[in-house]
Amino acid sequence: TQQDGRPVTELASKRLDEENMEEELESTEATLYRSVVARFNYLSPDRQDIMFAVRECAKGMARPKRRDLVKLKRIGRYVMGAKRVKTHMWVQPMPTIISVHTDSDWAGCKRTRISVSGGVARLGNAVIKCWSKDQRNVATSSVEAELYAANLGGMNALGMQTMLKELGHIVSIVVHVDSSAAIGVLQRKGIGKIRHLDVADLWMQTAIQKGRLEVAKIDGAWNDADIATKPLTN
């Protein structure tokens, strides 16, 4: 339609509440849908502004529905108006810190109540990795969701640290979280009052105590991992 051809400035769509949104796409439409999503999926690591929306579309690859197509068209209309994003890589001395920002959108999916973990990793001034991933468990609180997001950020950073060590560069890690309660859980030992947490979810406590990484508070307004946890809006 003509409306589908106009550029937009945000990725959230109000049309998803329409009654026919659960209808599955026909075979030819579904094939085209998967092809376009695959192209956007290739682009999204360099386009953090569409990363969350592309991940949402990728979840419908097996059996795409009308609501998935609406989301995909929205990305296309957004990219029509924002065709280029510049990434600046300034010359800098070899950094000594990997800085990771993590964030979550607690129970953001209205259908499954699965939360999303978002993250941005920097080496000095250079962004070297971004991610937007569904959490494997349904978090029962915002603190738990933030803890899962911080764990994913810590694991990614440790992998980068190991790779840099093999290249002869020793760097430390700081994971920035905007939840004071989640930081409190990470900096103590044991599950405390959150008894339903699995032991595997508390590995970061030991890593902090052994000095393998640090955790620090960041103001939510400055946490750029937020862009990976919800659709872009004005």
Side-chain angles (χ1 to χ4, degrees):
T1 65
Q2 182 179 3
Q3 182 183 14
D4 288 337
R6 290 202 301 262
V8 295
T9 57
E10 58 182 43
L11 289 169
S13 175
K14 298 179 180 179
R15 290 182 58 196
L16 298 180
D17 294 329
E18 296 178 6
E19 293 182 358
N20 65 343
M21 290 294 101
E22 294 301 320
E23 176 189 352
E24 288 192 19
L25 300 181
E26 296 180 0
S27 177
T28 54
E29 281 186 309
T31 299
L32 180 60
Y33 175 88
R34 296 185 183 103
S35 175
V36 176
V37 171
R39 289 175 182 268
F40 277 133
N41 196 43
Y42 177 79
L43 179 65
S44 63
D46 297 318
R47 288 291 301 262
Q48 290 83 16
D49 51 342
I50 65 172
M51 185 165 48
F52 176 89
V54 172
R55 182 193 57 79
E56 286 288 293
C57 287
K59 290 162 63 175
M61 290 281 271
R63 298 174 63 183
K65 299 181 179 180
R66 192 65 53 188
R67 65 165 51 247
D68 300 313
L69 185 58
V70 169
K71 294 177 184 178
L72 183 60
K73 287 183 177 180
R74 191 80 183 183
I75 299 174
R77 293 173 62 194
Y78 171 80
V79 172
M80 285 175 61
K83 296 180 180 180
R84 297 183 64 192
V85 170
K86 292 183 179 180
T87 300
H88 296 276
M89 303 289 284
W90 289 278
V91 176
Q92 60 180 347
M94 181 61 197
T96 58
I97 296 176
I98 296 175
S99 177
V100 181
H101 291 186
T102 67
D103 196 18
S104 70
D105 184 24
W106 177 42
C109 180
K110 293 182 180 180
R111 289 177 293 166
T112 66
R113 289 307 177 188
I114 290 289
S115 306
V116 175
S117 293
V120 177
R122 285 184 175 83
L123 186 61
N125 294 323
V127 174
I128 55 176
K129 186 176 179 65
C130 300
W131 58 89
S132 176
K133 295 183 179 296
D134 280 346
Q135 296 182 356
R136 68 182 188 277
N137 298 323
V138 177
T140 59
S141 68
S142 59
V143 174
E144 188 177 342
E146 293 285 353
L147 177 63
Y148 294 153
N151 279 340
L152 181 58
M155 286 189 288
N156 280 327
L158 287 170
M160 300 172 201
Q161 185 187 54
T162 299
M163 181 184 69
L164 287 168
K165 184 177 180 180
E166 292 176 352
L167 295 173
H169 303 290
I170 304 300
V171 296
S172 57
I173 298 170
V174 180
V175 178
H176 297 271
V177 183
D178 60 16
S179 168
S180 298
I183 292 175
V185 173
L186 290 169
Q187 290 182 332
R188 68 170 179 249
K189 189 173 183 179
I191 60 178
K193 295 182 180 180
I194 314 178
R195 299 190 179 277
H196 59 276
L197 282 179
D198 192 278
V199 174
D201 296 320
L202 299 176
W203 68 269
M204 207 165 159
Q205 289 181 342
T206 302
I208 291 170
Q209 291 164 14
K210 290 184 176 181
R212 297 183 64 193
L213 52 81
E214 300 177 25
V215 63
K217 180 75 167 64
I218 185 173
D219 188 272
W222 295 99
N223 190 355
D224 48 10
D226 178 75
I227 198 174
T229 63
K230 55 183 68 70
L232 185 68
T233 56
N234 289 330

